[in-house]
Amino acid sequence: MSIEILAPVGGRQQLIAAVRSGADAVYLGTRAFNARRNAENFNGESLSEAVQYCHGRGVRVYVTVNTLVKDAELQSLYKEIEMLAASGIDAVIVQDLAVAELFQRHCPSMPLHASTQMAIHNLEGVLAAEELGFSRAVLARELTIEEIRKICSGSKIEIETFVHGALCMSISGQCYISSMLGERSGNRGLCAQPCRLDFKAGERGHALSSKDMSHISHIGELIYAGVRSLKIEGRMKRPEYVAAAVSACREAVSGKSADLTDLQAVFSRSGFTDGYITGKRNLDMFGHRTREDVEASKTVLGKIASSYRNELPRIPVDMKLKIKGNEPSRLEVTDGSFIIAVQGDVAEQAKTKGVDHEFALRSLAKTGGTPFILKTLTDELDETLMLPQAKLNAMRKEALEDLLAARSRIIPKEVVGPFVQPRSQKRDRIPKLRVRVQNQQQLFDGIEAADKIYLPHTEIDSGLIQELGEKLICELPRLVFPMQEEALENSLEKLMRLGVKHICAGNIGTIRLARRMGFIVHGGFDLNILNSMSLIEYESLGLQDTFLSYEIKLSDAAVLGGEIKRGIIGYGYLPLMIFRNCPAKSKNGCRNCTGRAEITDRTGARFKITCASREYSSLHNPIPLYLADKKVQAADFITLYFTVEDRQECQKIWESYLHGEPFKGEYTRGLYYRKLI
């Protein structure tokens, strides 16, 4: 199977640049339900035109439907499915399991690609995506080449990886900083990019801003590893950027050493980084957009624009010309799928030299201005006859125009219906109180009264298992990279033998692992559940209960359907981002780090960072969420999510919750009472 160069398209001009520069496929969004809602994007008519343009030139079209949706939006999503099916696109890119289920139910012939927003970063995750019906998985950007190779070798579905573009600090789909600070959710396509502001780690500025990634020089390794699609990030970028990135990828795929000079000039943030794919996760990966970067782009825009001014001849065609006496001339053209035949004038007797193969070839090979290139020409010629070159040119033009039209014809996919809105189940719940602690040192007197107690798997021992029994839920790591999967499974086998029965998993990969091993599985907040259909889908995966996303409004949570028990976080310094390259590291890396650090924003707010065994770290909101003095009836359980507190603080918060006391100090209600856009 050939390798695919997949280009970002934010509008019509980017589409032309991508196709004429040699992209094999493009991905784009409509005006709703996509993770770049501020791009120009496409509506129904312009989407159909884009599909016709691309398909005529042999380019596939994937549409991003990769945002989280609310129950109130499901009817509109069904209308979106109808529009996408009618447009004849090739696949959709999906994050929310509700979106995947709606497509599978109403447009089963539509291929599904698992978005990088699903945070698939290991083999279990890819296998879970395959079982859910996805034909392709877009891996997290943070993987090394060895990790990608392991995933590819162990899975059957197509693997897509990013090879160039902006690099978020957080694992995609696990960033809540924009929504918490400004009510603009990255999971719903409206990230305000607060991370690009000047956060400070000590004296070092822009601590949450990475350089743009560029793995183009590693494309040969990625192809060898088994990657099917090479994805360029940048649906908000200008067409010259798209053209330069596609051209560089084409050079690399052909085996050449790609020249990235123009690409870096047109857009970079202090240069590029390949730190993730090489495993060199250090301070060299950080960078921000400078005045010099902006000035550099002005010098190359004209040059790049001229490179895609004309059509790229990319589709080989075979031609057959017949010129015989007393009958119309005939030209037949085929691309291997369509056969187009046109007739011309009756040839006249030649006065000097008639039409021979070389004469015909000179005319019919002139396919410039079209996406076609002549592969072979066969002919049946009476060389005593003459047909003027202009007549041959006219036949060639007509045949290629008809061939392009045939290739561009939209083939819609069938939609089956009708859509049925999930039944809401508003009921007054009396939530039970649960506790999550980061370590055993936070276990306080009276915690045994909690309904359930979550601890990371590394904090659980035989004594704790005997003491807490069925109340104990083993929390799996939020990130389990491919080379750690076997060790985690071995660790869980030991815990199972000691008596652990319950697991909390926040990713489809760890859900699959826990189910496969026979644990009772509980869902984490990082599953990003915002709607009834997602709840029902996760229930079908075997979850006993689950957290809802803390991006949900409680009035929406109160009417979610499904039978599965659902919970919220009622207290805690909420995780806002999760990193594989910690922003607080020094020139010496993690040496001398205690596992606790902090960064500050421009206002002086202090964001704490916690480390998980030096495998990943989490950024926390500077002030805690607190709901003890609010009457919450939208959940079956409320969890106190302790991270950086000591034992005394944990016990104090627990007792305040039991008595419904107001919080003493600065706090937030999170997004539970705000409108998320």
Side-chain angles (χ1 to χ4, degrees):
M1 190 176 291
S2 61
I3 195 73
E4 174 185 89
I5 297 173
L6 177 56
V9 167
R12 177 70 181 179
Q13 293 306 310
Q14 288 88 342
L15 180 74
I16 293 171
V19 173
R20 289 185 176 178
S21 298
D24 302 296
V26 299
Y27 66 103
L28 50 86
T30 63
R31 301 286 167 82
F33 303 114
N34 87 87
R36 292 292 184 272
R37 283 161 61 189
N38 286 330
E40 178 185 338
N41 292 318
F42 295 80
N43 59 21
E45 182 179 352
S46 63
L47 177 61
S48 295
E49 292 173 353
V51 173
Q52 290 174 314
Y53 179 82
C54 288
H55 283 183
R57 291 154 180 82
V59 176
R60 294 173 290 276
V61 179
Y62 310 140
V63 171
T64 55
V65 194
N66 59 342
T67 57
L68 303 179
V69 298
K70 303 177 183 179
D71 273 9
E73 298 168 331
L74 291 174
Q75 179 71 52
S76 296
L77 178 58
Y78 176 73
K79 296 294 184 183
E80 184 88 353
I81 291 172
E82 290 183 313
M83 185 267 286
L84 295 177
S87 72
I89 63 170
D90 298 283
V92 290
I93 305 168
V94 171
Q95 173 186 191
D96 196 324
L97 290 193
V99 179
E101 169 61 19
L102 275 179
F103 272 102
Q104 290 172 325
R105 185 182 301 177
H106 296 294
C107 189
S109 63
M110 182 72 75
L112 300 178
H113 295 178
S115 172
T116 191
Q117 292 288 119
M118 291 183 72
I120 295 175
H121 61 283
N122 53 37
L123 181 55
E124 288 282 353
V126 172
L127 295 176
E130 181 180 351
E131 292 169 359
L132 286 166
F134 290 92
S135 61
R136 177 183 293 190
V138 188
L139 298 183
R141 295 167 171 87
E142 289 76 11
L143 300 177
T144 67
I145 189 66
E146 292 80 12
E147 291 167 338
I148 294 169
R149 185 181 299 114
K150 182 177 180 182
I151 290 172
C152 291
S153 64
S155 58
K156 295 179 182 178
I157 63 174
E158 295 177 352
I159 299 299
E160 178 178 307
T161 62
F162 282 89
V163 293
H164 191 86
L167 187 59
C168 297
M169 273 298 297
S170 177
I171 299 281
S172 293
Q174 299 298 304
C175 183
Y176 311 96
I177 190 169
S178 179
S179 58
M180 290 299 296
L181 299 185
E183 300 177 27
R184 292 180 47 157
S185 172
N187 283 318
R188 286 176 50 79
L190 287 174
C191 179
Q193 295 189 332
C195 52
R196 298 296 181 187
L197 299 175
D198 193 11
F199 286 82
K200 286 196 164 34
E203 297 300 316
R204 183 167 58 84
H206 292 94
L208 292 182
S209 182
S210 296
K211 294 177 180 177
D212 281 17
M213 67 178 292
S214 189
H215 298 169
I216 294 175
S217 62
H218 300 276
I219 280 178
E221 298 169 77
L222 289 168
I223 295 172
Y224 182 74
V227 170
R228 167 73 176 90
S229 180
L230 307 171
K231 188 171 196 171
I232 301 163
E233 186 279 337
R235 282 192 289 134
M236 301 290 287
K237 299 289 199 315
R238 59 188 307 144
E240 292 88 351
Y241 165 87
V242 176
V246 171
S247 297
C249 287
R250 281 184 66 201
E251 288 184 343
V253 168
S254 70
K256 300 176 184 176
S257 178
D259 185 350
L260 304 183
T261 305
D262 288 347
L263 182 53
Q264 181 166 328
V266 76
F267 194 92
S268 81
R269 291 182 172 91
S270 311
F272 298 145
T273 178
D274 62 356
Y276 280 131
I277 199 168
T278 61
K280 297 176 181 178
R281 299 182 289 270
N282 52 40
L283 295 185
D284 289 340
M285 292 184 65
F286 293 87
H288 63 281
R289 187 82 167 144
T290 65
R291 181 177 297 177
E292 290 75 18
D293 294 328
V294 175
E295 291 298 320
S297 68
K298 298 176 182 178
T299 65
V300 297
L301 294 180
K303 172 187 173 183
I304 296 171
S306 66
S307 69
Y308 62 88
R309 186 170 293 129
N310 301 315
E311 285 272 13
L312 177 69
R314 57 192 299 162
I315 303 164
V317 293
D318 298 309
M319 295 186 184
K320 184 176 182 181
L321 177 65
K322 183 178 181 181
I323 298 179
K324 294 294 183 181
N326 300 319
E327 61 182 72
S329 52
R330 174 185 170 89
L331 177 64
E332 189 177 283
V333 179
T334 181
D335 61 355
S337 298
F338 297 95
I339 300 174
I340 303 295
V342 298
Q343 287 188 342
D345 292 347
V346 176
E348 300 175 355
Q349 196 69 34
K351 295 180 180 179
T352 54
K353 186 178 180 181
V355 176
D356 59 11
H357 181 83
E358 288 72 21
F359 182 88
L361 183 62
R362 284 197 298 271
S363 290
L364 299 181
K366 295 177 181 177
T367 59
T370 78
F372 303 105
I373 184 169
L374 180 60
K375 180 182 175 185
T376 65
L377 171 64
T378 58
D379 51 51
E380 296 179 41
L381 303 176
D382 182 341
E383 296 188 10
T384 68
L385 300 177
M386 168 53 69
L387 193 68
Q389 195 173 66
K391 300 290 186 181
L392 286 174
N393 291 347
M395 293 172 67
R396 180 202 69 231
K397 180 180 179 184
E398 180 184 354
L400 293 182
E401 286 177 350
D402 289 352
L403 179 57
L404 184 59
R407 293 172 57 89
S408 302
R409 194 171 298 124
I410 285 178
I411 302 175
K413 291 178 171 60
E414 182 183 7
V415 175
V416 294
F419 168 74
V420 179
Q421 181 76 25
R423 182 184 303 172
S424 63
Q425 298 196 13
K426 183 174 175 60
R427 65 182 76 161
D428 290 337
R429 294 176 166 87
I430 302 175
K432 295 181 178 180
L433 205 56
R434 297 183 177 183
V435 172
R436 183 269 184 189
V437 294
Q438 186 91 357
N439 52 60
Q440 286 197 27
Q441 288 70 43
Q442 293 173 317
L443 295 171
F444 53 86
D445 293 339
I447 195 173
E448 65 277 0
D451 174 56
K452 297 288 184 185
I453 302 166
Y454 300 80
L455 275 94
H457 81 287
T458 52
E459 290 292 316
I460 296 176
D461 55 32
S462 58
L464 202 59
I465 295 168
Q466 291 180 351
E467 180 182 346
L468 298 179
E470 286 283 341
K471 288 182 181 286
L472 178 63
I473 297 180
C474 171
E475 181 186 82
L476 297 188
R478 292 182 63 195
L479 299 178
V480 184
F481 294 103
M483 304 309 178
Q484 302 160 356
E485 290 181 272
E486 184 178 354
L488 176 61
E489 186 168 351
N490 291 337
S491 175
L492 293 180
E493 286 176 350
K494 294 176 183 177
L495 290 175
M496 177 176 275
R497 287 195 296 270
L498 291 172
V500 170
K501 297 180 180 179
H502 296 264
I503 291 288
C504 180
N507 183 275
I508 61 171
T510 45
I511 289 175
R512 183 182 189 274
L513 171 65
R515 286 186 62 201
R516 179 167 59 78
M517 296 184 69
F519 287 100
I520 299 168
V521 189
H522 306 256
F525 66 85
D526 25 5
L527 295 177
N528 291 331
I529 297 173
L530 281 185
N531 61 68
S532 299
M533 289 192 70
S534 287
L535 265 178
I536 294 167
E537 284 302 296
Y538 278 110
E539 184 176 8
S540 73
L541 291 182
L543 297 191
Q544 184 177 87
D545 58 45
T546 185
F547 283 94
L548 301 176
S549 167
Y550 47 74
E551 290 190 310
I552 199 168
K553 194 174 182 180
L554 285 185
S555 58
D556 292 336
V559 297
L560 292 182
E563 299 301 322
I564 186 173
K565 292 186 182 299
R566 67 291 311 264
I568 63 170
I569 293 177
Y571 166 83
Y573 292 91
L574 295 178
L576 300 183
M577 305 177 88
I578 185 167
F579 319 110
R580 196 174 192 187
N581 189 27
C582 182
K585 67 173 45 176
S586 68
K587 290 184 293 185
N588 296 321
C590 298
R591 192 179 305 166
N592 301 324
C593 180
T594 63
R596 297 283 179 87
E598 65 180 30
I599 61 174
T600 57
D601 69 7
R602 297 176 301 169
T603 70
R606 300 164 69 177
F607 294 73
K608 295 178 176 63
I609 295 174
T610 58
C611 179
S613 304
R614 296 193 174 183
E615 295 295 342
Y616 63 88
S617 56
S618 301
L619 181 77
H620 297 268
N621 205 37
I623 57 175
L625 170 77
Y626 190 79
L627 298 179
D629 53 336
K630 301 288 286 187
K631 186 177 181 181
V632 176
Q633 297 176 304
D636 296 292
F637 59 91
I638 295 175
T639 300
L640 310 185
Y641 191 89
F642 295 116
T643 51
V644 297
E645 301 84 351
D646 60 24
R647 180 179 298 176
Q648 290 73 27
E649 290 176 290
C650 293
Q651 185 157 17
K652 181 180 177 182
I653 294 297
W654 167 259
E655 292 172 354
S656 294
Y657 240 92
L658 291 178
H659 298 96
E661 297 174 353
F663 192 77
K664 296 177 182 179
E666 192 177 5
Y667 67 95
T668 178
R669 305 292 193 190
L671 291 163
Y672 290 138
Y673 299 94
R674 292 189 279 170
K675 182 179 180 181
L676 183 71
I677 58 175

